[in-house]
Amino acid sequence: MTSRVIPLIDSRVAMPPRAVHEYVETPAVGDLADKLGRPLRDLRISVTDRCNFRCTYCMPKEVFDSDYRFLRHSDLLTFEEIARLAAAFVRHGVEKIRLTGGEPLLRKDLHKLIAMLSPLRTQGGNELDIALTTNGSVLARKAQQLADAGLKRITVSLDGLDDATFRRMNDVDFPVRDVLAGIDAAAAAGMTPVKINMVVKRGVNEREIVAMARHFRGTGHIVRFIEYMDVGTSNGWRMDEVVPSREVLQRIAEEFPLEPLDARYSGEVAERWRYRDGQGEIGVISSVSQAFCRDCTRARLSTEGKLYLCLFAHQGHDLRALLRGNGAQGLTEKKIEEAIGRIWSARADRYSELRTEATPAMPKVEMSYIGG
Ligand code: SF4
């Protein structure tokens, strides 16, 4: 049987990636801005397109089945290549790098990559803020090694405490207790506060909202409730399955009064709220009901080295070709830096602001491929 090709847009399907030299003007180096005046501050790096979960809103089993063609190992950027690109992004003003996937902890020896990135310094001479997002499935046994390598912060995805609900959402029958053990191990390794991301889907886990708030209140950990998004083209997204953040806050405030907190920095994705009784804070991420594209300073690097300028983009820019071309020496650091600058300065993405009833059906890259 011929292997099925998943109807998403990237180099494995039809569209060749845009060659960097297509961008003619504005060689930009150093602290640059895109067409909407947004600087480049955050880089999300997907280190694998594989995952051991099949969360229905991200990697539904029907699509990511045994026929699905994941990337070959030789397609992936090596740790050396990732570190080279990361250094170029940092020279452009990146201050935070988030390692993602798929499930990043499935990539062998990930702590070695963290150790390679840790010596990087921001333009201001500060330590780079290195974070990681994981489903927590193997975190309990890796947390200390990651922290020892220099990982500062960790975000764990957990879509509910009710075991049946969680198993249904991850669709591989994975138990809640192992993720909770991972969170405890991360805290014990000093990566606190742990952030916990819960995607809320109406008709599936909205009854878990208050239970999650109740469980993590007073622990110092921060739960962020994420509106279900029309990422990629495989999750069958519908607007009526979105629980707007306003409703999430209302449900929690009925039991635990809340008050707003200021953003820590411009471009912070989560809107922060604290419990009036001082038992900590929560966050809401409202890409559907309250677009935040105006402050979006995030670039995404796919596992095989394509630069995406928006979570909902459908086309990437092949940076791996710059590293592996030219007789495998690749281009000089300066040329790579200039290429990144040209791409970013031409950026005008703001999908969430432009979302309409028609846009969910547009071809978009899969979230599991560029790491949320
Ligand atoms: S939709 Fe795109 S531009 Fe808007 S906040 Fe998300 S990633 Fe940024």
Side-chain angles (χ1 to χ4, degrees):
M1 181 167 103
T2 55
S3 63
R4 279 182 311 121
V5 173
I6 303 298
L8 58 84
I9 303 283
D10 70 27
S11 64
R12 286 169 298 173
V13 190
M15 312 273 282
R18 282 190 81 170
V20 175
H21 64 262
E22 281 181 30
Y23 299 89
V24 285
E25 85 283 353
T26 59
V29 177
D31 204 359
L32 73 152
D34 70 9
K35 290 228 178 275
L36 303 180
R38 299 168 293 187
L40 172 50
R41 288 284 175 270
D42 307 69
L43 177 64
R44 298 182 175 205
I45 303 175
S46 170
V47 295
T48 178
D49 62 340
R50 295 166 192 258
C51 186
N52 54 349
F53 282 11
R54 288 290 177 272
C55 299
T56 52
Y57 54 83
C58 174
M59 245 180 149
K61 231 184 222 170
E62 313 73 58
V63 176
F64 296 88
D65 58 14
S66 54
D67 286 339
Y68 187 79
R69 283 182 302 138
F70 288 100
L71 294 166
R72 296 164 306 178
H73 193 74
S74 58
D75 293 329
L76 309 188
L77 290 181
T78 64
F79 288 170
E80 290 70 22
E81 289 171 330
I82 293 174
R84 244 181 108 186
L85 288 176
F89 278 95
V90 168
R91 289 193 292 274
H92 271 306
V94 161
E95 296 169 352
K96 184 165 84 174
I97 287 184
R98 179 172 291 279
L99 301 177
T100 65
E103 169 48 39
L105 298 184
L106 296 185
R107 179 91 186 243
K108 196 162 168 285
D109 294 336
L110 191 67
H111 61 286
K112 292 184 180 165
L113 173 61
I114 293 166
M116 290 163 79
L117 297 174
S118 294
L120 287 174
R121 290 291 173 268
T122 67
Q123 278 199 325
N126 301 321
E127 275 192 23
L128 196 62
D129 178 3
I130 304 174
L132 178 138
T133 301
T134 170
N135 64 21
S137 56
V138 295
L139 182 56
R141 54 189 156 91
K142 296 207 172 189
Q144 192 58 56
Q145 186 185 54
L146 297 168
D148 294 346
L151 188 66
K152 301 276 181 305
R153 299 188 300 113
I154 203 151
T155 300
V156 179
S157 306
L158 179 61
D159 297 320
L161 292 166
D162 172 66
D163 213 44
T165 303
F166 180 59
R167 287 173 188 257
R168 222 176 20 252
M169 286 195 86
N170 65 53
D171 213 7
V172 291
D173 217 24
F174 196 87
V176 170
R177 68 171 179 277
D178 291 2
V179 178
L180 293 176
I183 292 170
D184 292 345
M191 295 185 281
T192 51
V194 176
K195 290 188 175 165
I196 294 134
N197 281 358
M198 173 183 173
V199 173
V200 183
K201 189 175 175 184
R202 194 179 296 287
V204 180
N205 65 340
E206 72 269 33
R207 268 177 293 178
E208 291 293 295
I209 295 168
V210 178
M212 286 281 282
R214 191 181 298 120
H215 180 87
F216 288 106
R217 258 168 58 82
T219 64
H221 302 322
I222 301 172
V223 184
R224 291 115 58 87
F225 300 90
I226 304 179
E227 288 181 346
Y228 171 43
M229 291 182 282
D230 50 330
V231 285
T233 53
S234 344
N235 66 8
W237 184 85
R238 296 201 332 250
M239 182 61 99
D240 61 8
E241 292 177 320
V242 175
V243 179
S245 294
R246 290 289 136 237
E247 182 182 331
V248 170
L249 293 168
Q250 217 153 26
R251 284 174 181 248
I252 296 171
E254 273 159 22
E255 188 163 337
F256 308 113
L258 296 166
E259 57 194 20
L261 280 171
D262 292 335
R264 279 190 201 87
Y265 55 88
S266 159
E268 185 169 22
V269 175
E271 189 188 290
R272 303 169 63 210
W273 291 78
R274 66 180 290 274
Y275 294 111
R276 213 176 275 158
D277 63 3
Q279 289 296 305
E281 71 174 86
I282 59 165
V284 288
I285 299 178
S286 323
S287 163
V288 179
S289 66
Q290 278 179 289
F292 38 78
C293 304
R294 284 299 142 156
D295 296 321
C296 179
T297 58
R298 288 172 292 284
R300 292 170 169 85
L301 192 60
S302 76
T303 320
E304 56 184 345
K306 291 209 188 71
L307 174 57
Y308 287 82
L309 303 175
C310 173
L311 176 58
F312 301 90
H314 69 271
Q315 201 174 11
H317 308 268
D318 188 356
L319 299 184
R320 188 184 62 187
L322 307 181
L323 297 168
R324 292 187 185 176
N326 198 18
Q329 295 312 310
L331 294 184
T332 63
E333 301 322 287
K334 188 155 175 28
K335 287 279 177 224
I336 293 169
E337 212 177 287
E338 286 173 358
I340 293 168
R342 282 198 291 270
I343 296 168
W344 185 263
S345 54
R347 176 193 188 227
D349 297 65
R350 53 194 184 96
Y351 175 90
S352 287
E353 280 182 8
L354 303 172
R355 183 185 280 110
T356 65
E357 271 160 28
T359 53
M362 280 165 52
K364 293 179 251 107
V365 66
E366 291 299 333
M367 182 163 79
S368 60
Y369 170 72
I370 54 166

